[in-house]
Amino acid sequence: MSATPESGEPRIAWLHIGLHKTGTTALQRSLRLGREALAARGVGTPDLGPDPGWPLIHWAAADRSPSRNPRRAAHAGPEARTAVAAQMTALMEDRSLRALVLSAEQFAGRRKRVDVEALKARLEAAGWQVRALAYLRPAADYAVSMISQRIKAGATLAEASARPPLPRARAVLRPWLRVLGPRALHLRRYDPSAFPDGDVLRDFALALDLPAGALPAPPTSARNARPSARAIAVLDRYNQALTALR
């Protein structure tokens, strides 16, 4: 695919909706780091900070009332909306772009059909075809990752594994499927052993028809790293001791 859109070539707006525990944070950091290089290849992505989902959702929403959610409130005001609108309008009207990539972990939490419809309507009104991409992690692997995360946050192994968390992918994907339809919703299995070089960034680039290596590797984050079995055992004893002291 050419770096700039040819006459009649569809312009695709990709909505990356996660899901949780599928490398979404790393992908968002990579997109932010590689914005200029991607733009030179005809791919636009906004720079909306570490939590881009809320700004995008409020930018698209028809409801202009203040948000009661403190995490959303900062993005619901008129000044915040205006700033996001200016950046999104510039991207959508840039004729050198053949694709947009909007990645947000918050998209996976949008259980309301109206939010998805608003995003789709905004982009289609500017002449973009809307597609969505979601990675699905096997339930057992997802549960292990979430249990590890809970133990790192201070829970004991017994507490964290008492009710193993499930990804609930069907509920997450239902509004996207109903609004976009099955042909526009692309699902990929989150399996690092099957990714090119074991890298989700390369797999993401492949899925969106981007050149290999188009996404730079972001700095590693200890927050999202999965601890070893030995580390889990040590953390579990530490958390048990703190629980006993409390």
Side-chain angles (χ1 to χ4, degrees):
M1 186 177 290
S2 59
T4 56
E6 301 291 342
S7 177
E9 180 181 324
R11 305 173 80 206
I12 308 299
W14 284 98
L15 302 177
H16 173 227
I17 60 178
L19 284 57
H20 295 306
K21 311 305 293 183
T22 59
T24 306
T25 301
L27 284 164
Q28 289 172 356
R29 289 175 177 170
S30 177
L31 288 167
R32 291 178 67 194
L33 286 172
R35 284 182 71 239
E36 293 185 4
L38 287 169
R41 299 173 184 268
V43 180
T45 187
D47 185 4
L48 300 175
D51 294 318
W54 297 134
L56 288 169
I57 289 166
H58 284 290
W59 160 72
D63 180 10
R64 300 296 179 181
S65 59
S67 175
R68 296 180 180 178
N69 184 326
R71 294 186 63 189
R72 298 182 60 166
H75 308 294
E79 291 185 5
R81 290 178 189 265
T82 299
V84 175
Q87 188 173 167
M88 289 303 301
T89 298
L91 284 173
M92 291 189 300
E93 295 181 353
D94 187 343
R95 300 306 301 178
S96 70
L97 300 179
R98 61 175 174 84
L100 285 178
V101 181
L102 309 180
S103 175
E105 197 162 7
Q106 290 80 12
F107 286 168
R110 295 299 85 222
R111 306 293 173 86
K112 294 183 179 180
R113 182 170 176 171
V114 64
D115 286 335
V116 183
E117 288 174 336
L119 275 169
K120 180 174 183 283
R122 278 274 193 173
L123 292 163
E124 286 186 339
W128 293 86
Q129 292 187 14
V130 181
R131 297 178 187 171
L133 172 70
Y135 280 95
L136 304 179
R137 192 165 189 162
D141 192 36
Y142 173 88
V144 170
S145 180
M146 286 299 295
I147 289 171
S148 298
Q149 180 173 307
R150 291 180 179 181
I151 292 171
K152 287 194 295 182
T156 65
L157 179 59
E159 292 170 341
S161 57
R163 297 181 63 184
L166 298 175
R168 306 189 185 280
R170 181 178 296 180
V172 171
L173 295 174
R174 185 179 293 117
W176 298 92
L177 180 62
R178 288 178 175 175
V179 173
L180 300 181
R183 292 188 177 182
L185 179 58
H186 298 249
L187 304 180
R188 296 177 80 85
R189 178 185 174 92
Y190 186 80
D191 181 5
S193 67
F195 294 158
D197 299 326
D199 186 359
V200 68
L201 299 178
R202 288 183 174 271
D203 190 79
F204 187 77
L206 178 66
L208 271 60
D209 193 24
L210 301 176
L215 298 175
T220 56
S221 171
R223 178 183 176 185
N224 289 323
R226 181 189 290 189
S228 66
R230 183 176 181 180
I232 287 290
V234 172
L235 278 172
D236 179 43
R237 292 195 177 190
Y238 177 77
N239 293 340
Q240 288 182 46
L242 286 181
T243 300
L245 286 172
R246 285 195 293 266

